[in-house]
Amino acid sequence: MRQHDTELQDYDLIEPNSITYFLNTAASELDFFWEGVEFLTFHWQDAMDYVIFDEHGIVIEQIVSFIDEGIRKGQSVLVYSTRGMSRCIVCVAAYMMAKYGWGVDKVFEFLDSKRVPMEPNPSFMSQLADLDWRLQKQRLHTALTLPSERRQM
């Protein structure tokens, strides 16, 4: 298939679904640009020793902010990687954990119920478990610092 044909097929998917926000988790391998759309790019490698989530939470803040901005503007957001089964899945899982307060198990139960094909790198799963722990600690700290009349326990 010629590159032009692929671009046309992609455009046929993108325009009717109002996809104007693209979150590329594999920019080293899939580096393309369309005018008039918003991009957030990560050069994540699908390797066992690759670290996705920084300890300061900057990456997860970028992910949540970008996806929320697209949704707030009534647009669709496409999160993608080369095969769409590891890096982008981990990205979506991290978003759901941070946004909805779900644990990693609940996120993957949900994605599995939607029949999403997944083969996340085992190292990335470990990083998601660590992220889950950090997010839970943050939520607990926030709950404990609220005035007693505002706590939901």
Side-chain angles (χ1 to χ4, degrees):
M1 185 177 292
R2 296 185 323 264
Q3 182 175 355
H4 178 72
D5 293 339
T6 303
E7 289 174 3
L8 283 177
Q9 283 182 344
D10 292 343
Y11 191 76
D12 289 344
L13 168 79
I14 290 164
E15 186 181 25
N17 290 298
S18 298
I19 302 172
T20 59
Y21 281 72
F22 293 81
L23 200 161
N24 182 354
T25 63
S28 297
E29 301 154 59
L30 300 170
D31 191 20
F32 69 91
F33 178 80
W34 284 333
E35 289 193 29
V37 298
E38 300 293 327
F39 280 93
L40 176 60
T41 58
F42 293 107
H43 294 267
W44 296 347
Q45 302 298 310
D46 198 1
M48 291 297 288
D49 62 345
Y50 193 81
V51 177
I52 290 178
F53 303 108
D54 61 289
E55 63 186 53
H56 302 293
I58 294 169
V59 170
I60 192 65
E61 285 179 23
Q62 290 175 317
I63 291 168
V64 171
S65 176
F66 184 79
I67 293 173
D68 282 352
E69 178 183 315
I71 292 170
R72 190 173 41 257
K73 291 182 175 180
Q75 299 298 303
S76 296
V77 180
L78 179 66
V79 180
Y80 62 98
S81 59
T82 52
R83 291 181 37 235
M85 298 174 70
S86 183
R87 289 169 280 193
C88 67
I89 294 294
V90 169
C91 182
V92 169
Y95 172 79
M96 295 172 83
M97 290 164 54
K99 181 69 178 178
Y100 303 117
W102 291 1
V104 69
D105 292 336
K106 182 171 182 172
V107 168
F108 279 91
E109 286 174 17
F110 175 79
L111 293 173
D112 192 48
S113 76
K114 300 301 179 189
R115 296 186 179 10
V116 174
M118 300 176 284
E119 290 179 20
N121 177 321
S123 172
F124 297 166
M125 290 300 295
S126 178
Q127 290 180 53
L128 277 176
D130 291 344
L131 177 64
D132 187 10
W133 175 247
R134 288 196 314 262
L135 291 171
Q136 286 182 41
K137 281 179 27 180
Q138 284 177 339
R139 286 190 294 273
L140 180 60
H141 176 75
T142 300
L144 292 176
T145 57
L146 288 174
S148 59
E149 64 272 2
R150 293 195 55 213
R151 287 188 199 152
Q152 294 178 348
M153 301 229 173

